[in-house]
Amino acid sequence: MKATRITELFGIKYPIIAGGMVWCSGWRLASAVSNAGGLGLLGAGSMHPETLAEHIDKMKAATDKPWGVNLPLMYPELDKIVELIISKGVKIVFTSAGSPAKLTSRFHEAGIKVVHVIANSKFARKCEEAGVDAIVAEGFEAGGHNGREELTTMTLIPQIRKATSLPLLAAGGIASGEAMLAAMALGADGVQIGTLFAVSEESSASDAFKQQCLNLGEGDTMLALKKLSPTRLVKNALYDRIKEAEDRGADADELRAILGANAAKRGIFEGDIENGEMEIGQAVAGIKELRPISKIVNELVEGYNQALDKLR
């Protein structure tokens, strides 16, 4: 696999980034991806500051390769996390769910590379204006929180490529080397992968969550909660209650009440597969085996190379 602007930007072997997923992306998953030649991200969105500090320290002990932190800008303890990231010497931060201009300059002053996650061309241009180092364009095949435009990855990537010259990572529905090649043929410089790594041996998601994911087929996830924040969910008892409420026009407050407190933690981390918020992408239908990160990355690279050879 040839070098790209993403491998050069981060100093990594392969243009493969592990999404910083809440309740999945702890230090074991992130360090395994980095050690395999990609870029691992800690998912700060589900961590209190003291927990993130512990995971950063364990990352430093587990790998000497590049790694970073994913930081949703809606995080309730944002100022504390930003100070922690800077004081701990983190070198790469992926931001999402907010304005790319909010923290980019501050992170740059601290010598930190900044990547922002977007789902449309308008925000891609705003990222360029804000001076970020790269962007992630995420199609609505992805799990978890999603863009309101419901643009597929194959539709989104070429539009973003036309809108900005920034190094570009494709995300959403990418779970094979063939999908990597397709994304890069459309103009991406690399890929960010979530679902495939969420269902891995090193993921911090519960065993119940992982086993349920291995049993999912096509159409077993749906985009919901559009009045709050569009989120791709596994169809379960909680999803059924949400769908019934949305079908009759429930407002945002009622939807929040149905979700209850810590819904994603219940589903992903604690393994309540019926009454928890089970966030996973459409690509899960093709995952039928729990594998270590090292094997997953090797298969991605081999699949990419084999697909490229077939086209020559």
Side-chain angles (χ1 to χ4, degrees), residues 97-179:
S99 170
K102 189 170 186 177
L103 290 171
T104 297
S105 295
R106 186 173 179 191
F107 281 138
H108 279 168
E109 289 170 4
I112 298 171
K113 292 183 175 68
V114 179
V115 184
H116 193 71
V117 182
I118 53 93
N120 60 48
S121 298
K122 175 184 176 181
F123 277 98
R125 288 187 285 268
K126 287 185 177 294
C127 284
E128 194 156 26
E129 293 169 5
V132 304
D133 299 285
I135 54 176
V136 179
E138 186 175 71
F140 99 128
E141 299 96 323
H145 296 281
N146 223 305
R148 294 188 178 277
E149 296 79 8
E150 298 189 21
L151 294 173
T152 66
T153 302
M154 185 163 281
T155 301
L156 180 63
I157 297 306
Q159 294 183 26
I160 300 298
R161 183 69 294 158
K162 291 177 182 177
T164 177
S165 61
L166 286 169
L168 171 61
L169 288 160
I174 300 168
S176 67
E178 293 86 348

Side-chain angles (χ1 to χ4, degrees), residues 24-303:
C24 294
S25 300
W27 69 270
R28 291 182 180 86
L29 173 56
S31 63
V33 173
S34 290
N35 285 333
L39 182 75
L41 299 179
L42 294 173
S46 54
M47 299 182 186
H48 292 295
E50 59 272 19
T51 305
L52 178 60
E54 178 184 347
H55 280 258
I56 289 174
D57 289 342
K58 289 182 176 179
M59 277 295 291
K60 291 178 177 179
T63 185
D64 59 357
K65 303 293 192 299
W67 56 275
V69 172
N70 179 78
L71 177 61
L73 297 177
M74 64 173 67
Y75 188 92
E77 298 177 278
L78 184 62
D79 290 340
K80 290 181 180 179
I81 289 288
V82 170
E83 289 294 339
L84 175 64
I85 285 170
I86 293 172
S87 67
K88 287 285 190 180
V90 174
K91 299 301 182 186
I92 300 166
V93 172
F94 280 51
T95 57
S96 60
S99 170
K102 189 170 186 177
L103 290 171
T104 297
S105 295
R106 186 173 179 191
F107 281 138
H108 279 168
E109 289 170 4
I112 298 171
K113 292 183 175 68
V114 179
V115 184
H116 193 71
V117 182
I118 53 93
N120 60 48
S121 298
K122 175 184 176 181
F123 277 98
R125 288 187 285 268
K126 287 185 177 294
C127 284
E128 194 156 26
E129 293 169 5
V132 304
D133 299 285
I135 54 176
V136 179
E138 186 175 71
F140 99 128
E141 299 96 323
H145 296 281
N146 223 305
R148 294 188 178 277
E149 296 79 8
E150 298 189 21
L151 294 173
T152 66
T153 302
M154 185 163 281
T155 301
L156 180 63
I157 297 306
Q159 294 183 26
I160 300 298
R161 183 69 294 158
K162 291 177 182 177
T164 177
S165 61
L166 286 169
L168 171 61
L169 288 160
I174 300 168
S176 67
E178 293 86 348
M180 275 187 64
L181 180 60
M184 294 173 75
L186 292 171
D189 301 289
V191 296
Q192 178 175 283
I193 292 175
T195 294
L196 187 61
F197 291 143
V199 190
S200 70
E201 290 182 2
E202 291 89 347
S203 166
S204 54
S206 67
D207 289 340
F209 174 84
K210 294 177 189 179
Q211 288 302 317
Q212 180 72 354
C213 286
L214 294 177
N215 293 323
L216 296 176
E218 298 169 358
D220 283 341
T221 70
M222 292 294 289
L223 204 63
L225 299 170
K226 295 178 186 178
K227 289 183 180 177
L228 297 177
S229 175
T231 309
R232 182 166 297 281
L233 302 176
V234 174
K235 293 178 179 177
N236 63 0
L238 177 63
Y239 169 79
D240 290 342
R241 294 196 294 274
I242 292 169
K243 185 177 187 304
E244 185 278 329
E246 289 183 327
D247 286 347
R248 60 177 167 76
D251 61 16
D253 288 338
E254 183 178 351
L255 293 174
R256 289 190 190 96
I258 293 170
L259 281 172
N262 303 313
K265 182 181 181 181
R266 289 200 313 271
I268 301 170
F269 193 67
E270 296 176 349
D272 186 344
I273 63 173
E274 283 301 325
N275 296 299
E277 188 174 325
M278 303 275 284
E279 302 178 8
I280 202 73
Q282 287 182 328
V284 74
I287 304 172
K288 300 303 178 188
E289 179 186 6
L290 200 65
R291 295 166 293 165
I293 290 294
S294 58
K295 184 175 181 180
I296 292 172
V297 172
N298 284 339
E299 290 179 357
L300 285 169
V301 175
E302 289 174 5

